[in-house]
Amino acid sequence: MATLIDSLNTFFWGYVLIYGLLAVGVYFTLRLGFIQIRHFPEFVRTVFKAPQSDRGGISPFQALCTSLASRVGTGNMAGVAVALALGGAGAIFWMWVVALIGMATAYAESTLAQLYKVRDQNGQLRGGPAFYISKGLKAPWAGAIFSLALILAFGLVFNAVQANSIAGAMEGAFGIPKMATGLIIMGLAAIVIFGGIKKIARFAEIVVPFMAIAYLLLALFIIAMNIEQVPAMFALIFKSAFGIEQAAGGVAGALLNGVKRGLFSNEAGMGSAPNIAAVATPNPHHPASQGMVQSLGVFIDTLLICTATALMILLSGVLGNGESGIVLTQSAMSHHVGAGGHYFVAIAIFFFAFTSIIGNYSYAENALTYLKWATKPGIFVLRILALAMIPWGAYESVAMVFNAADAAMGLMATINLIAIVLLSGLVVKLTKDYFAQNKTHTPVFNPDDFQEVQKDIDLSVWNEKPKQD
């Protein structure tokens, strides 16, 4: 079994997730006419439009915050440090490139998730890759495999990974035993998770902006205090990316590590964020608008938060001291703000990783709906299993289980990438429809203009126009 899992990881992470995600990102960037650059102001506007009320949906802003809760995690602090330690400053440039093209992929997958969303037996909006794979490609079996892989990776094992990061940081900074941290996190997560998707969205709407803004404000303070060195740091990033200035890992190391850490951090194309994108009631009431919201999430995750971490580390001068991961980030922060920086990073990791646990769970509940297991007993069992993984993960790290989660995530991404490429014509048509309407009035999705999908989408969702709050 271990040999099989290792082989799958070599295939998925060595080839599919590096070259496949990059190729699909470039494909959608070109096919959609650089939408993430040309229409970036529209991306921002769709997030801050007045929410529309729907008995089973959440607002676009809540959907953005919930997806950011999953995206913004240890990868933004530990992952960036790993990229710098292994690939040098140039790795950050390639993280930026991955984010820019990944914005187009995120737009495509979340637009499709919106189009194919359904209303479950409780009136709650549900959707995601499993739904557009099943309906759009007429491949329910592939949707089922995707859902099982998502539940294993995001719903269960990745919660253990995040808990492990929190417990390690808390033990290092405050001396709190790992098991105690695990039990506290489990209790806090239970309060939110047992409240259902809407409570998760409300929690994310409050905590994620606070978390991200506090971290970015400290980063801006540090950058301002070292403003005379900032141009040199950006020059170092660009020079190292192209080998003009020798750096750790050389050009190949910078490229490989930047691409890897960028993909793992922003999750574009993985098929995770579309699960919460489908739950939103978009404004304008058109699938493309929610695609724009989730594309903006990739921008915030990598081009803002990851860049903030990178600049703090580069400005500190501690890169190259043999440290990596969260320890390197803590050393950099302590250099800038004193001993308190060590504690700040531990607290930031707590919030970043805790919100990831909440966001990851919300994806798994959506997958459960597709499998028709979202009954009260089914959801209860999922919640108990998800919560049980937290103290276990906090206390010990079992490589075999984490490797299995990586393999499941690789399978998810492979299925999702094939699906969105096969459905790319529909994404292009939806995009053209949105911007054609946007020239004269607020876009509204009309199912009659999309006869090819009328039999496959939930018409009750799109014919029932929500009211503005």
Side-chain angles (χ1 to χ4, degrees), residues 163 166-167 170 176-191 350 354 357 387 390-391 394:
I166 298 173
M170 288 296 163
I176 302 172
K178 288 185 175 181
M179 182 53 74
T181 299
L183 292 172
I184 291 169
I185 299 166
M186 182 178 72
L188 293 172
I191 294 169
F350 176 88
F354 180 74
I357 290 172
L387 291 169
I390 295 171

Side-chain angles (χ1 to χ4, degrees), residues 3-294:
T3 304
L4 174 62
I5 289 172
D6 286 342
S7 298
L8 286 172
N9 278 332
T10 300
F11 173 71
F12 288 134
W13 295 97
Y15 301 99
V16 175
L17 293 187
I18 297 298
Y19 304 110
L21 282 164
L22 277 176
V24 172
V26 171
Y27 173 75
F28 276 108
T29 296
L30 296 174
R31 191 124 195 236
L32 297 170
F34 293 86
I35 184 174
Q36 67 271 49
I37 298 171
R38 290 171 53 238
H39 296 291
F40 186 78
E42 184 68 13
F43 285 25
V44 177
R45 280 193 291 271
T46 54
V47 173
F48 295 105
K49 280 183 177 287
Q52 294 183 316
S53 59
D54 183 286
R55 56 197 171 96
I58 61 176
S59 73
F61 184 69
Q62 287 177 325
L64 173 66
C65 290
T66 307
S67 66
L68 279 173
S70 178
R71 281 193 177 106
V72 178
T74 53
N76 297 81
M77 301 180 78
V80 171
V82 169
L84 285 168
L86 297 179
I92 303 307
F93 172 83
W94 296 110
M95 286 184 77
W96 294 339
V97 171
V98 165
L100 279 172
I101 64 172
M103 287 174 71
T105 310
Y107 166 81
E109 62 182 355
S110 291
T111 295
L112 289 168
Q114 262 288 309
L115 178 66
Y116 286 99
K117 66 184 178 182
V118 300
R119 201 180 293 282
D120 67 15
Q121 67 271 23
N122 300 315
Q124 173 71 56
L125 293 175
R126 300 286 190 178
F131 293 82
Y132 59 70
I133 290 167
S134 174
K135 303 282 189 182
L137 298 179
K138 308 293 189 291
W141 58 271
I145 294 172
F146 177 92
S147 297
L148 289 170
L150 187 146
I151 290 169
L152 171 63
F154 282 84
L156 301 177
V157 182
F158 286 167
N159 285 349
V161 176
Q162 298 291 350
N164 192 266
S165 298
I166 298 173
M170 288 296 163
E171 185 179 52
F174 303 106
I176 302 172
K178 288 185 175 181
M179 182 53 74
T181 299
L183 292 172
I184 291 169
I185 299 166
M186 182 178 72
L188 293 172
I191 294 169
V192 181
I193 286 172
F194 273 92
I197 292 289
K198 286 206 167 189
K199 188 161 186 176
I200 290 171
R202 283 195 295 271
F203 173 83
E205 184 181 28
I206 296 168
V207 175
V208 172
F210 167 77
M211 171 189 76
I213 290 169
Y215 188 71
L216 287 172
L217 283 175
L218 181 58
L220 287 171
F221 171 75
I222 290 170
I223 291 166
M225 294 298 292
N226 299 274
I227 193 67
E228 71 283 353
Q229 298 178 49
V230 172
M233 292 303 102
F234 276 106
L236 176 64
I237 290 170
F238 285 102
K239 288 177 182 178
S240 300
F242 297 101
I244 299 170
E245 185 163 322
Q246 187 56 40
V251 179
L255 174 62
L256 183 63
N257 286 286
V259 169
K260 273 188 175 181
R261 296 324 328 167
L263 293 174
F264 299 164
S265 179
N266 65 52
E267 296 181 15
M270 295 288 185
S272 49
N275 289 278
I276 201 66
V279 180
T281 302
N283 185 16
H285 200 241
H286 192 287
S289 69
Q290 184 52 217
M292 294 177 206
V293 169
Q294 293 305 322

Side-chain angles (χ1 to χ4, degrees), residues 309-465:
T309 301
L311 285 174
M312 284 193 290
I313 293 173
L314 291 173
L315 288 166
S316 71
V318 299
L319 184 63
N321 63 2
E323 294 175 335
S324 184
I326 200 64
V327 177
L328 177 59
T329 306
Q330 285 180 311
S331 294
M333 190 71 79
S334 297
H335 171 86
H336 291 298
V337 298
H342 195 73
Y343 302 119
F344 178 85
V345 171
I347 294 167
I349 275 285
F350 176 88
F351 280 107
F352 277 38
F354 180 74
T355 53
S356 288
I357 290 172
I358 302 303
N360 288 347
Y361 169 78
S362 70
Y363 298 164
E365 195 172 295
N366 246 19
L368 207 67
T369 301
Y370 174 80
L371 294 168
K372 295 185 169 51
W373 296 345
T375 58
K376 284 187 178 180
I379 290 176
F380 180 79
V381 169
L382 176 66
R383 288 171 176 170
I384 294 300
L385 288 174
L387 291 169
M389 293 296 286
I390 295 171
W392 175 80
Y395 185 69
E396 58 183 309
S397 172
V398 180
M400 170 77 167
V401 179
F402 293 160
N403 285 342
D406 283 342
M409 191 174 179
L411 181 61
M412 262 177 63
T414 303
I415 295 171
N416 185 54
L417 290 175
I418 293 169
I420 61 176
V421 169
L422 291 175
L423 293 169
S424 60
L426 188 54
V427 176
V428 172
K429 185 176 178 180
L430 285 163
T431 306
K432 287 180 177 176
D433 179 63
Y434 181 93
F435 287 107
Q437 292 188 56
N438 202 41
K439 291 176 181 177
T440 57
H441 60 274
T442 301
V444 176
F445 177 69
N446 182 0
D448 292 338
D449 295 332
F450 291 80
Q451 293 290 331
E452 66 272 34
V453 298
Q454 271 206 340
K455 293 180 181 177
D456 301 319
I457 62 176
D458 188 339
L459 291 174
S460 67
V461 171
W462 292 108
N463 289 331
E464 178 186 320
K465 300 296 183 286

